[in-house]
Amino acid sequence: MALPTFVVKAKNAVSKGKEALKKSREKSAGEEVTGTITGMVKGAALSILSTLALPIIIIVAVIIFVFVVWIIITAIPFIVFGVDLGGGGSGTSGNNGAGGNISSSISYIQWAIDIANDDSHGYNNCNRYGPDYDCSSLVYYSLINSGYSTEQLGSTPFYTYTMNDYLIAAGFERHSYNPNELQAGDILLRDGHTAMYIGNNQIVHATHNEKGVLCGGAEGDQTGSEIMVQDGLGGNWNYYYRLS
């Protein structure tokens, strides 16, 4: 005998309700598992971070400490003694006996070095106006080609016995020679010869021609040492001249 329609509908509703409840329980169980896994992953990540945090902080602190110490070590000699750790003296001069640097910022020194390195220029005391020079005309033209005027230095190259007055007029001061006081750019003078100190216990100067005499040689540097950068100070100097 067929069940009444309302009874059938009631059974269907109960069946659907049970099925919905089952699905709801399954969904809740899945979400709980997912939540548990997520929590485990987060916990592991936090554990790893907490383990690594202290070493990272220590490493960063050590790096900062080393950097600060390096700055202090670098700065103190410059502040206290007026030198840096790259070599004796400031950036514009070298100090003999202290490993001074040759300074390319002193333009007249650099001009003379360039002439010494160019063998088209030699020594000639009798024709000293270029391309060949003698010791005093090398100093003269080094200054002239670096901004000094003929009003200061004269219209023709001075000689060793006249250069004192011209150098003083150009702003140099004369000092009694002391090799321990030399700085790059100092002009050295003794009877009959002059040179320029370039730092690192070196001078640049014009010496003599290929025959070992003052006149009569071929044009240009025939030996590579007529005009030269020389190791050592090269003689018993009387004075040095320095810009005041």
Side-chain angles (χ1 to χ4, degrees), residues 22-230:
K22 181 180 179 181
K23 289 182 179 180
S24 176
R25 288 176 177 174
E26 291 175 350
K27 182 178 180 182
S28 296
E31 289 177 349
E32 182 177 351
V33 171
T34 301
T36 301
I37 294 173
T38 301
M40 291 174 64
V41 171
K42 288 182 179 179
L46 290 174
S47 178
I48 293 172
L49 288 176
S50 63
T51 302
L52 295 177
L54 184 58
I56 291 173
I57 291 172
I58 292 174
I59 292 171
V60 172
V62 169
I63 292 173
I64 293 173
F65 175 76
V66 171
F67 181 70
V68 170
V69 170
W70 178 82
I71 291 176
I72 292 173
I73 292 174
T74 304
I76 285 178
F78 181 80
I79 295 171
V80 175
F81 302 108
V83 300
D84 60 36
L85 298 180
S90 67
T92 60
S93 66
N95 198 329
N96 182 36
N101 294 325
I102 297 173
S103 177
S104 61
S105 65
I106 304 175
S107 56
Y108 61 87
I109 292 295
Q110 189 59 51
W111 191 90
I113 292 172
D114 292 341
I115 292 296
N117 290 332
D118 183 352
D119 286 343
S120 67
H121 303 281
Y123 183 97
N124 196 329
N125 180 251
C126 298
N127 186 10
R128 56 199 293 267
Y129 310 104
D132 292 344
Y133 307 96
D134 66 1
C135 63
S136 53
S137 73
L138 178 66
V139 174
Y140 173 88
Y141 283 111
S142 296
L143 295 170
I144 288 294
N145 283 281
S146 302
Y148 290 85
S149 67
T150 55
E151 286 76 14
Q152 294 171 301
L153 301 176
S155 58
T156 58
F158 45 58
Y159 292 89
T160 54
Y161 54 86
T162 62
M163 62 188 294
N164 174 79
D165 293 341
Y166 287 111
L167 290 177
I168 291 174
F172 288 81
E173 288 185 350
R174 188 178 75 176
H175 303 267
S176 294
Y177 178 71
N178 183 339
N180 296 316
E181 296 175 352
L182 294 181
Q183 296 180 359
D186 289 347
I187 297 173
L188 310 179
L189 179 65
R190 67 172 185 255
D191 291 341
H193 193 51
T194 185
M196 288 171 280
Y197 182 68
I198 65 175
N200 284 350
N201 203 39
Q202 292 180 312
I203 59 174
V204 58
H205 63 151
T207 59
H208 49 70
N209 65 23
E210 74 274 18
K211 300 178 181 180
V213 295
L214 303 182
C215 298
E219 183 177 294
D221 195 333
Q222 306 302 310
T223 64
S225 60
E226 295 184 30
I227 301 176
M228 64 183 296
V229 172
Q230 174 181 316

